[in-house]
Amino acid sequence: MISILKFKSKLMKKLFFILLIFPIIGYSQVNTLPNSIGIGQNTNTAVPLHINKPGEVARFQGASPYVTFYDALNFKGYIQVIGDHLEIGSKNNHNIDFYTNNLPQFRIDGTSGQITAFQKINANNGIRLSGPLQAENESVGPAGSVLVSRGNATPAWEDQKVGFEANGNIAGYNNNTETILSGFASVSFNFGNGFNTSSGVFTAPTPGVYTFNLKLDIGITPSETSLNPSIIRMFKNGSQWKTTHYLFSTDNGYGNNIETKYIINLNQNDTVHFSFFQVSGASLNIRPSIIGFKVL
């Protein structure tokens, strides 16, 4: 009788153990195979680690925890929590790219650190710059210049302070001979460096509307003359653009002056220069001066 009771007791213990173990095995959510681990139900055994579970699925906890990424033996990058920030980094000068729709949208160059946005940037709260503002090819505009739209072309810098004042030496201007105004020895200012003092040619550094004021001081002549015809010509890109006719006199032993003003629209790199023609019967000593600046 005692033997039968012992047998029943052992059998009940085994059944209890089996009932305790089998539900755990039958409803297990961890599937371990030689080449994959699945956590949760309906996991894909072709994926080395597949977690199918709602909510938080992984946690890396500790002092500055990090995850590394390798290509074979090459260390490519990492994600790490350091102090108060999350750091995403690359190694060995690799770029960091952000993709959407299988296309690169944002890139941090692994060598230079320069940032390239492949689409427009919407900055609703503005943009704060601590370094120089640069255009294409890393060109930095001169102080005071502005970045101007060129329509469909690349924006470019424009120096808004464009102008010059130049005064020439007294020189002889032959009778009945056209003379190009050049050789300006004194220049008060030349903002934009558009005026060439040697040739007397102004080259527009930026497009816009320009005004030019030309003055010719005619010296005293040995013989007084009056109502002498003269012509001032303005040339644009080497071709005559405008002609102005004047009559001048040197009566009573005093010199005279001729002064004219032009307004012209110029494209970038357009050139302007002037010439003077006089018929007085003699060579005249003349001092030219030109003031030019951008209006719009």
Side-chain angles (χ1 to χ4, degrees), residues 1-292:
M1 185 67 178
I2 294 175
S3 298
I4 294 174
L5 291 175
K6 288 182 177 180
F7 174 77
K8 287 182 177 181
S9 176
K10 290 182 179 179
L11 179 61
M12 290 299 293
K13 288 180 180 179
K14 288 182 179 180
L15 288 174
F16 179 78
F17 179 78
I18 292 171
L19 291 175
L20 184 66
I21 294 298
F22 270 94
I24 297 175
I25 297 175
Y27 293 93
S28 173
Q29 292 187 336
V30 178
N31 184 18
T32 303
L33 297 175
N35 296 313
S36 69
I37 297 176
I39 302 176
Q41 297 181 357
N42 302 318
T43 57
N44 188 344
T45 57
V47 179
L49 175 60
H50 185 184
I51 302 175
N52 184 1
K53 177 184 178 298
E56 183 181 14
V57 296
R59 177 177 297 187
F60 303 92
Q61 186 171 347
S64 300
Y66 62 93
V67 179
T68 60
F69 300 90
Y70 281 77
D71 178 7
L73 298 177
N74 300 315
F75 186 12
K76 295 292 188 177
Y78 62 93
I79 300 175
Q80 184 175 15
V81 174
I82 302 177
D84 61 352
H85 66 277
L86 174 66
E87 185 172 307
I88 301 175
S90 66
K91 289 293 185 178
N92 303 318
N93 299 330
H94 292 296
N95 300 334
I96 296 178
D97 289 354
F98 294 86
Y99 273 65
T100 61
N101 197 27
N102 296 322
L103 295 173
Q105 306 297 350
F106 193 82
R107 170 171 292 175
I108 303 175
D109 188 275
T111 301
S112 66
Q114 293 185 3
I115 296 175
T116 301
F118 298 96
Q119 302 294 335
K120 66 180 181 181
I121 297 176
N122 296 321
N124 294 331
N125 292 324
I127 298 176
R128 179 182 296 174
L129 301 176
S130 59
L133 183 63
Q134 298 181 350
E136 189 179 29
N137 300 323
E138 302 182 22
S139 63
V140 178
S145 60
V146 297
L147 196 59
V148 177
S149 171
R150 295 282 190 250
N152 293 327
T154 302
W157 290 108
E158 279 194 7
D159 191 344
Q160 297 300 290
K161 191 167 61 175
V162 178
F164 68 95
E165 181 182 24
N167 298 289
N169 292 325
I170 297 175
Y173 285 62
N174 293 328
N175 175 57
N176 205 29
T177 301
E178 184 172 13
T179 304
I180 300 297
L181 303 184
S182 60
F184 291 83
S186 174
V187 178
S188 301
F189 58 89
N190 189 12
F191 299 128
N193 298 315
F195 186 72
N196 187 307
T197 57
S198 177
S199 65
V201 175
F202 172 77
T203 303
T206 60
V209 177
Y210 288 80
T211 182
F212 296 91
N213 190 81
L214 174 63
K215 183 179 179 181
L216 300 171
D217 290 323
I218 301 172
I220 298 173
T221 58
S223 58
E224 299 175 358
T225 59
S226 61
L227 300 179
N228 301 303
S230 65
I231 300 174
I232 294 177
R233 301 185 197 275
M234 182 180 189
F235 294 84
K236 176 182 178 181
N237 296 328
S239 300
Q240 179 177 295
W241 182 77
K242 185 169 287 189
T243 300
T244 307
H245 296 261
Y246 291 92
L247 295 175
F248 68 93
S249 301
T250 58
D251 291 339
N252 302 319
Y254 291 97
N256 204 337
N257 65 68
I258 299 172
E259 188 169 359
T260 187
K261 185 176 183 179
Y262 298 108
I263 295 179
I264 185 173
N265 182 49
L266 299 175
N267 293 319
Q268 187 176 18
N269 296 322
D270 280 349
T271 61
V272 168
H273 73 275
F274 301 90
S275 72
F276 178 67
F277 176 87
Q278 62 92 11
V279 180
S280 65
S283 176
L284 300 177
N285 291 324
I286 297 177
R287 182 197 298 271
S289 62
I290 305 176
I291 297 175

